[in-house]
Amino acid sequence: MSNENEKMTADSTEAETSLREETAEAAPEVAEHDRTAELEAQVAEAKAAVLYAQAETQNVRRRFEKEAQDARAYAATNFARDILSVADNLSRALAAIPADLRDDEKLKGLVIGLEATGREIDSVFARHGISKIVAVGEALDPNRHQAMLEIPTMDAEPGSVVQEIQTGYMIKDRLLRPALVGVAKKPD
């Protein structure tokens, strides 16, 4: 039964095409109308293709501009990571100088020079959008802090940072290095 329906549909379509061709031969305006409709369809298709190409070009340009902007903003990331260890060592050296040696006239110039160097590193970091992450007293944020140990205490809310083992840094809005921290927990 389905073959008969298909045959009838094919015969009907063939008859319509045949009738249209016969009419077009007798009436040239029908052929002209058909040609106009075909050209209008092609123009509409070409317009759609042009709009698609323009949109794609604009998307590629935006993506390129974003990548170029990110490359400029974060170009110093690897270098900054390497310099962080120098800043850490300088901070440890300054923290290790006992108070009585800080007051010693022979070492006073050295201490002042080391402190000035530390301030200069902080200043250079600030100029390049590198900032320290505030950790102590904050709630543990896995996007900025890396918990290294839990410290039982009643003085702080569980889950809050109570000790900073290593300072963390951000470069603009991206994490450069997480802060290594100790987190409070309830005593047993």
Side-chain angles (χ1 to χ4, degrees):
M1 181 115 180
S2 128
N3 285 339
E4 289 177 23
N5 285 340
E6 288 176 15
K7 187 175 180 184
M8 286 176 47
T9 304
D11 289 344
S12 171
T13 305
E14 202 173 292
E16 286 176 18
T17 305
S18 169
L19 178 62
R20 184 105 179 137
E21 288 172 0
E22 289 174 15
T23 307
E25 289 174 12
E29 63 275 359
V30 172
E32 186 177 315
H33 181 269
D34 289 349
R35 178 73 178 142
T36 303
E38 182 182 329
L39 290 175
E40 286 174 351
Q42 288 176 355
V43 167
E45 187 177 317
K47 281 183 180 179
V50 167
L51 288 175
Y52 178 79
Q54 287 175 338
E56 184 64 23
T57 302
Q58 188 175 15
N59 288 340
V60 168
R61 185 176 55 243
R62 283 183 190 149
R63 195 168 32 250
F64 174 75
E65 288 171 356
K66 173 90 170 90
E67 288 172 3
Q69 183 181 14
D70 285 350
R72 283 190 300 274
Y74 302 108
T77 299
N78 290 333
F79 179 72
R81 280 193 185 109
D82 293 341
I83 294 298
L84 291 180
S85 64
V86 174
D88 290 342
N89 289 334
L90 182 61
S91 294
R92 283 197 233 19
L94 284 168
I97 299 172
D100 60 327
L101 289 180
R102 286 180 182 271
D103 296 333
D104 187 348
E105 288 301 319
K106 292 179 186 175
L107 296 176
K108 198 170 204 161
L110 176 64
V111 172
I112 291 171
L114 289 173
E115 289 172 343
T117 303
R119 285 190 302 274
E120 183 64 22
I121 286 177
D122 290 342
S123 172
V124 169
F125 282 174
R127 277 197 307 269
H128 292 281
I130 300 169
S131 59
K132 290 182 180 181
I133 294 173
V134 176
V136 176
E138 298 285 319
L140 179 68
D141 179 357
N143 296 316
R144 299 181 311 135
H145 307 131
Q146 182 175 345
M148 300 303 289
L149 58 115
E150 289 184 318
I151 302 170
T153 182
M154 293 296 291
D155 298 335
E157 192 69 30
S160 63
V161 175
V162 292
Q163 180 184 4
E164 183 176 70
I165 300 165
Q166 183 181 53
T167 304
Y169 289 87
M170 300 286 289
I171 183 165
K172 300 195 186 335
D173 60 345
R174 290 188 183 172
L175 182 67
L176 188 57
R177 180 178 78 185
L180 303 182
V181 298
V183 181
K185 74 171 191 172
K186 287 185 179 181
D188 295 331

